[in-house]
Amino acid sequence: MKVYTKTGDRGQTSLVGGQRVSKCCDRLESYGTVDELNSQIGLLITYLTDPLDAQFLTDVQSTLFVVGGYLATDNSQRDIRPGNIVTPEMVLAVEQEIDRIDAILPPIKLFILPGGCRGASVAHVCRCVCRRAERCILRLAECGAEIDENVTAYVNRLSDYLFILARKLNFDANHPEIIWRREK
């Protein structure tokens, strides 16, 4: 398999099933942003010391390939492949991981600014990219694409998870959270 095909040189690419579309279309923007998130999570993993966190994020990366495959398929033109279906169990796994981490952290009393240790800072960047991916997916739906509710639920929960993971990384590093101070 060649790395380059030259088929996209004129600003078009193929969706799953072969349909040609502009590289600037909302569908490409949605799964391209999911791909960017996946790459940022790969960077985040390099900062982790807890093997449970690293394994969970590696699983998330695999699920993001499922999300990308789903988004790369225009389901009005072609059926979604079974391997590109986001399941309620995938959403539940993220919820359970949020609950597991949240149980060990002190409660939030004030707004927290993004930052802290390097790993937490990268987790916040991932959270922001995840929120952008969510907006891209919702924009795609607003343009008429049918988007399964498990896809949007998964991406929404994932951003919550990345927030709680950032808190955990600061907690593990004994780095105080940066509290937002409202100007008077």
Side-chain angles (χ1 to χ4, degrees):
M1 184 171 114
K2 284 188 170 186
V3 172
Y4 62 91
T5 62
K6 301 181 183 182
T7 60
D9 291 353
R10 297 205 170 146
Q12 295 222 322
T13 193
S14 295
L15 299 177
V16 173
Q19 179 186 358
R20 301 290 291 173
V21 296
S22 167
K23 288 184 175 183
C24 299
C25 76
D26 288 334
R27 185 170 298 282
L28 266 286
E29 190 67 30
S30 68
Y31 74 75
T33 306
V34 169
D35 185 39
E36 179 186 350
L37 172 60
N38 209 338
S39 295
Q40 291 284 357
I41 288 173
L43 174 63
L44 174 57
I45 290 171
T46 68
Y47 288 97
L48 301 180
T49 57
D50 184 335
L52 287 175
D53 295 335
Q55 183 56 59
F56 185 77
L57 278 176
T58 300
D59 294 343
V60 163
Q61 286 187 295
S62 292
T63 302
L64 288 175
F65 263 76
V66 173
V67 172
Y70 177 90
L71 294 170
T73 307
D74 181 347
N75 55 10
S76 71
Q77 304 288 317
R78 178 183 174 92
D79 290 338
I80 302 292
R81 293 177 179 164
N84 290 338
I85 294 174
V86 179
T87 66
E89 292 78 21
M90 293 171 175
V91 177
L92 181 61
V94 179
E95 291 172 350
Q96 290 172 336
E97 190 64 8
I98 291 169
D99 293 342
R100 180 188 75 81
I101 293 173
D102 196 38
I104 64 171
L105 297 175
I108 298 175
K109 295 182 179 172
L110 299 167
F111 286 108
I112 298 168
L113 295 178
C117 69
R118 285 187 177 154
S121 297
V122 174
H124 279 295
V125 170
C126 290
R127 175 186 55 79
C128 292
V129 175
C130 190
R131 287 287 185 206
R132 181 161 35 92
E134 181 182 20
R135 291 189 303 272
C136 290
I137 294 165
L138 293 172
R139 187 175 307 110
L140 181 62
E142 285 181 357
C143 292
E146 183 181 327
I147 304 295
D148 185 276
E149 65 185 22
N150 289 316
V151 172
T152 53
Y154 184 83
V155 175
N156 187 19
R157 292 311 174 287
L158 183 56
S159 63
D160 294 334
Y161 163 77
L162 291 163
F163 173 78
I164 206 86
L165 178 64
R167 292 194 67 220
K168 178 186 184 289
L169 294 173
N170 278 329
F171 182 81
D172 289 349
N174 201 26
H175 195 292
E177 292 180 310
I178 306 164
I179 304 302
W180 175 57
R181 305 272 183 228
R182 183 185 300 239
E183 295 294 324
K184 294 182 183 186

